[in-house]
């Protein structure tokens, strides 16, 4: 552990510090998102438009007000100190992600939905594959001051509190914690909604109605309270009610209304780059590449620059079809949720929570490589569920595929990014997981005596 700490310390004070420093003659060397948040935070208080100001690199703020408001006190510090402080917080939240994942596994062992002795030979493999699959997204977040680790931590924290389900208070606090991820970036509303949906299905089951009632109403109340608190009450307390409403309207008109489908003419960022591995952009890039290579279409390599005119995948029917597929893939989780919650267990609900996190990546119009930190719970619980069922070959496939996709994306970005390998590959992985889980026989929670990890 001391070597890990020293390695992080050296990395932080060298590479991360350098990327967050000012380079007046070479602004492209300023490579941290965190100064976007602090500059926008200062703008909330000095009369500038927080959605028009830029950091030294020229990047604009894209999120609801709260993140910038919380970061505003750091604006007066040198930019390299701003980057280092966020780096330290990211390390702490990464440790929190590990701790919450272990706690969720502990809950699954405790309620007998996971059997330790049966899974002991596979735990290291699953943990190792999950760690490698999120390694580069994690490093990306820490290096460039991004919020992927924070989103994952608050979702895991909130979900763990919901799953402890001791009365109504923990589910309430869990709902509040999960909405922190929503205010950081709106697409985590997908897993938050499915956590509430699962709690509702569990409550409606006759055999568990009384026991599940506090959890359902607790998580619903906590989610509503968190949304009100983080979108309205806290920001209004800092900048005033009218000013906060105005800023929310500005955010919605520029960014929020594009959470599912981008209007490229009204976008603060470019959604067509190779680094964006959302399903929609992956299909867009692969389709344009296919048209160029096999059917004599216009060059696709620099499609994000829009220099080649209209592209084949710009056709209205193509865009409509891709949108329908994205929404359909998310909706496919509803019948799966009903099926899994019939055998209500920590494992089944953790599994669906993880898949909903992946669904958030699929439905979002932007999902750069570092967003894929959000896969973590699915990478743990999908293979373990399959191992528990005795489907060893499928479990290994589902553990290894995300590793291969991540390594290919980061090692061969000019090729794999152009072809949308990470975005399309992750969607195929998701479809395989949902299909397998929909038709596999369900284990009965508590069917065997639990063996606690020693």
């Amino acid at each position: 552990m001391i070597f890990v700490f020293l390695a992080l310390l050296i990395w932080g004070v060298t590479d991360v510090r350098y990327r967050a420093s000012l380079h007046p003659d070479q602004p492209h060397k300023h490579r941290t998102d965190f100064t976007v948040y602090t500059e926008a935070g200062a703008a909330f208080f000095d009369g500038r438009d927080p959605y028009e100001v830029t950091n030294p690199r020229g990047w604009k703020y894209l999120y609801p007000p709260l993140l910038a408001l919380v970061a505003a006190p750091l604006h007066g510090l040198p930019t390299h100190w701003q980057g280092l402080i966020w780096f330290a917080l990211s390390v702490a939240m990464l440790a929190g992600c590990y701790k919450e994942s272990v706690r969720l596994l502990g809950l699954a062992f405790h309620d007998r939905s996971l059997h330790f002795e049966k899974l002991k030979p596979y735990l290291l493999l699953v943990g190792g594959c999950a760690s490698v699959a999120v390694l580069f997204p994690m490093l990306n977040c820490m290096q460039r001051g991004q919020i992927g680790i924070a989103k994952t931590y608050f979702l895991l924290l909130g979900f763990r509190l919901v799953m402890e389900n001791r009365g109504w208070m923990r589910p309430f606090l869990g709902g509040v914690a999960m909405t922190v991820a929503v205010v950081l970036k709106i697409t985590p509303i997908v897993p938050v909604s499915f956590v509430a949906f699962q709690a509702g299905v569990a409550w409606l089951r006759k055999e568990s109605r009384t026991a599940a009632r506090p959890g359902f109403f607790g998580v619903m109340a906590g989610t509503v309270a968190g949304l009100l608190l983080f979108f309205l009450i806290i920001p209004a307390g800092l900048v005033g009610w009218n000013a906060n409403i105005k800023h929310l309207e500005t955010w919605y008109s520029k960014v929020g209304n594009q959470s599912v489908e981008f209007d490229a003419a009204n976008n603060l960022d470019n959604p067509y780059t190779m680094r964006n591995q959302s399903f929609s952009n992956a299909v867009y890039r692969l389709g344009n590449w296919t048209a160029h290579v096999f059917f004599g279409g216009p060059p696709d390599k620099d499609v994000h620059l829009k220099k080649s005119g209209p592209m084949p995948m710009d056709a209205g029917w193509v865009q409509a079809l891709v949108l329908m597929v994205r929404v359909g893939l998310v909706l496919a989780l509803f019948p799966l949720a009903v099926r899994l919650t019939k055998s209500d267990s920590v494992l089944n609900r953790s599994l669906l929570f993880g898949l909903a996190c992946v669904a958030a990546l699929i439905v979002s119009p932007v999902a750069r490589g570092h967003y894929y930190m959000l896969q973590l719970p699915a990478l743990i619980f999908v293979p373990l569920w399959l191992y528990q069922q005795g489907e060893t070959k499928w479990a290994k496939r589902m553990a290894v595929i995300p590793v291969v996709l991540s390594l290919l994306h980061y090692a061969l970005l000019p090729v794999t990014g152009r072809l949308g390998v990470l975005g399309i590959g992750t969607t195929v992985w998701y479809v395989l997981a949902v299909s397998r889980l929909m038709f596999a026989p369900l284990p009965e929670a508590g069917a065997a005596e639990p063996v606690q990890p020693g």
Side-chain angles (χ1 to χ4, degrees):
M1 186 61 67
I2 187 67
F3 294 107
V4 173
F5 174 78
L6 289 175
L8 288 172
L9 181 63
I10 293 170
W11 183 37
V13 299
T14 54
D15 181 58
V16 175
R17 181 179 182 275
Y18 179 79
R19 290 173 183 272
S21 297
L22 291 176
H23 306 276
D25 299 328
Q26 296 176 299
H28 65 280
K29 291 186 176 181
H30 183 80
R31 297 181 180 181
T32 181
D33 283 15
F34 192 68
T35 52
V36 174
Y37 317 144
T38 56
E39 189 65 37
F44 276 105
F45 295 101
D46 63 21
R48 293 175 294 160
D49 184 346
Y51 293 98
E52 288 299 326
V53 299
T54 65
N55 76 338
R57 180 68 181 265
W59 294 335
K60 293 182 180 180
Y61 185 62
L62 302 174
Y63 310 120
L66 185 67
L67 174 59
L69 292 172
V70 171
L74 299 177
H75 179 260
L77 296 176
T79 58
H80 61 270
W81 276 111
Q82 297 177 32
L84 284 172
I85 289 172
W86 183 248
F87 174 78
L89 291 173
S90 296
V91 171
M93 288 185 287
L94 180 62
C97 289
Y98 170 78
K99 187 174 183 180
E100 295 303 332
S101 299
V102 171
R103 284 179 171 179
L104 281 172
L105 285 171
L107 291 173
F109 288 128
H110 182 72
D111 84 335
R112 308 182 182 189
S113 55
L114 278 179
H115 305 140
F116 181 72
E117 287 300 326
K118 183 176 183 179
L119 294 176
K120 188 176 180 180
Y122 310 115
L123 288 174
L124 184 59
L125 173 64
V126 172
C129 286
S131 299
V132 175
V134 301
L135 176 63
F136 288 105
M138 173 193 73
L139 295 176
N140 210 167
C141 290
M142 296 168 68
Q143 183 185 58
R144 299 199 176 192
Q146 291 148 344
I147 59 174
I149 294 174
K151 288 186 301 180
T152 306
Y153 169 66
F154 282 106
L155 284 173
L156 283 168
L157 170 64
F159 180 68
R160 189 263 302 171
L161 288 169
V162 171
M163 292 312 301
E164 287 183 338
N165 199 16
R166 300 170 186 172
W168 64 272
M169 179 57 73
R170 288 183 184 242
F172 175 84
L173 293 176
V176 172
M178 287 188 295
T179 56
V180 176
V182 177
V183 82
L184 293 178
K185 188 174 288 289
I186 200 69
T187 48
I189 195 67
V190 175
V192 174
S193 299
F194 272 93
V195 171
F197 179 74
Q198 288 182 92
V201 172
W203 172 56
L204 292 175
R205 291 172 61 239
K206 292 181 180 180
E207 58 270 29
S208 65
R209 181 170 296 176
T210 301
R213 183 183 295 117
F216 171 64
F217 286 104
V219 70
M220 289 297 295
T223 301
V224 172
L227 293 174
L228 291 174
L229 189 67
F230 300 132
F231 276 95
L232 296 175
I233 297 174
I234 293 178
L238 295 172
V239 298
W241 183 266
N242 291 333
N244 182 53
I245 295 298
K246 179 183 176 182
H247 292 312
L248 284 173
E249 291 174 347
T250 301
W251 166 77
Y252 181 78
S253 67
K254 292 184 175 181
V255 184
N257 63 351
Q258 301 174 65
S259 296
V260 173
E261 194 66 17
F262 256 125
D263 173 9
N266 187 33
N267 181 30
L268 293 174
D269 205 356
N270 189 337
Y272 301 112
T273 68
M274 290 186 290
R275 295 183 183 277
N276 178 14
Q277 288 295 300
S278 67
F279 174 69
S280 59
N281 192 53
V283 171
Y284 183 80
R285 296 201 66 100
L286 179 61
N288 288 324
W289 175 84
T290 303
H292 171 61
V293 172
F294 297 104
F295 301 103
D300 71 292
K301 190 171 184 181
D302 296 323
V303 66
H304 60 286
L305 301 177
K306 290 297 183 182
K307 290 182 177 180
S308 303
M311 302 297 293
M313 296 297 287
D314 287 324
W317 70 269
V318 174
Q319 297 298 309
L321 179 61
V322 171
L323 178 59
M324 290 173 59
V325 171
R326 289 157 59 201
V327 174
L329 289 173
V330 176
L331 294 179
L333 283 181
F334 282 99
L336 182 60
V338 173
R339 182 172 193 260
L340 290 181
T341 313
K342 287 180 181 178
S343 179
D344 194 23
S345 68
V346 173
L347 175 59
N348 287 350
R349 291 176 69 174
S350 299
L351 176 72
L352 191 65
F353 167 70
L355 288 173
C357 289
V358 179
L361 296 172
I362 293 172
V363 77
S364 175
V366 175
R368 293 182 176 83
H370 59 86
Y371 287 37
Y372 281 75
M373 179 73 195
L374 200 58
Q375 293 182 102
L376 180 60
L379 302 183
I380 295 171
F381 288 103
V382 169
L384 285 181
W385 195 95
L386 292 168
Y387 275 126
Q388 179 86 343
Q389 292 290 87
E391 299 192 39
T392 304
K393 290 183 179 179
W394 268 102
K396 289 180 179 178
R397 291 169 188 159
M398 301 307 280
V400 171
I401 288 173
V403 175
V404 175
L405 292 173
S406 182
L407 294 178
L408 285 175
H409 173 72
Y410 280 94
L412 300 171
L413 180 61
V415 176
T416 56
R418 183 181 179 187
L419 301 179
V421 170
L422 180 59
I424 293 175
T426 299
T427 304
V428 171
W429 182 91
Y430 171 88
V431 171
L432 289 173
V434 171
S435 302
R436 201 72 182 174
L437 297 167
M438 183 63 75
F439 299 106
L442 291 177
E444 294 184 8
E449 288 299 316
V451 181
Q452 300 296 337

